Amino acid sequence: MSDVELFCEKSFSGADQEIVDSFVEFQNALIEADTKKLDEILSDDFRITQAPNRSQDKNEFISEIGDGSMDFSKSDIMDPTILFDDDESASLISKVRLTAKVYGRELRWISDTVANFRKTDGIWHVIGWDS
């Protein structure tokens, strides 16, 4: 059983399904603390915004996943919507319920998530995650 669950009544196909699959793969890599997979999924210019005054680049984020500072254990993705800017850039908008140990504190919260994607060489990469 996966620790990433998708709660959604609508079905996806084509590029929409590819983006949903990429986001699920990203969430799984977080939970598994798979830094190699995260390096593949995240674009080199990736940025995560976790709070109004908290932002990290790709290397900082992956480092904190790898050293256990951020230890994700569950992700529930609820009713995602995919919006396209063009054929090679899109956003996934969803509520995401996350369970994690962050800097030693056990937390569970629901995030209004926006994950931005760019398609490079036929693969959708996460370029930003506003959680």
Side-chain angles (χ1 to χ4, degrees):
M1 180 173 128
S2 173
D3 290 315
V4 177
E5 291 191 56
L6 179 63
F7 296 93
C8 185
E9 292 186 14
K10 58 187 162 187
S11 60
F12 298 99
S13 62
D16 289 15
Q17 184 66 54
E18 291 172 12
I19 291 167
V20 169
D21 290 346
S22 182
F23 190 70
V24 168
E25 182 179 32
F26 168 47
Q27 297 295 290
N28 269 317
L30 287 177
I31 290 166
E32 295 168 5
D34 187 340
T35 56
K36 183 177 182 210
K37 179 57 83 176
L38 287 170
D39 189 49
E40 292 172 14
I41 294 168
L42 305 177
S43 68
D44 289 339
D45 58 347
F46 170 83
R47 282 217 74 81
I48 180 171
T49 304
Q50 298 163 317
N53 297 325
R54 177 98 165 110
S55 177
Q56 292 179 304
D57 67 20
K58 176 181 178 175
N59 292 331
E60 293 168 323
F61 181 64
I62 290 176
S63 176
E64 289 196 347
I65 299 298
D67 72 15
S69 295
M70 290 192 289
D71 182 14
F72 291 85
S73 58
K74 182 82 173 117
S75 174
D76 296 327
I77 305 163
M78 297 172 274
D79 295 317
T81 298
I82 312 301
L83 303 174
F84 288 88
D85 295 324
D86 55 41
D87 290 344
E88 298 190 355
S89 59
S91 297
L92 178 145
I93 300 166
S94 179
K95 289 201 180 292
V96 178
R97 183 175 34 240
L98 295 163
T99 305
K101 186 181 276 190
V102 180
Y103 310 114
R105 289 183 54 208
E106 302 244 0
L107 301 170
R108 186 172 190 209
W109 70 100
I110 295 177
S111 166
D112 289 322
T113 290
V114 177
N116 297 307
F117 292 83
R118 180 175 47 235
K119 192 173 192 177
T120 307
D121 297 327
I123 299 170
W124 289 99
H125 295 276
V126 182
I127 60 172
W129 186 26
D130 185 354
S131 70

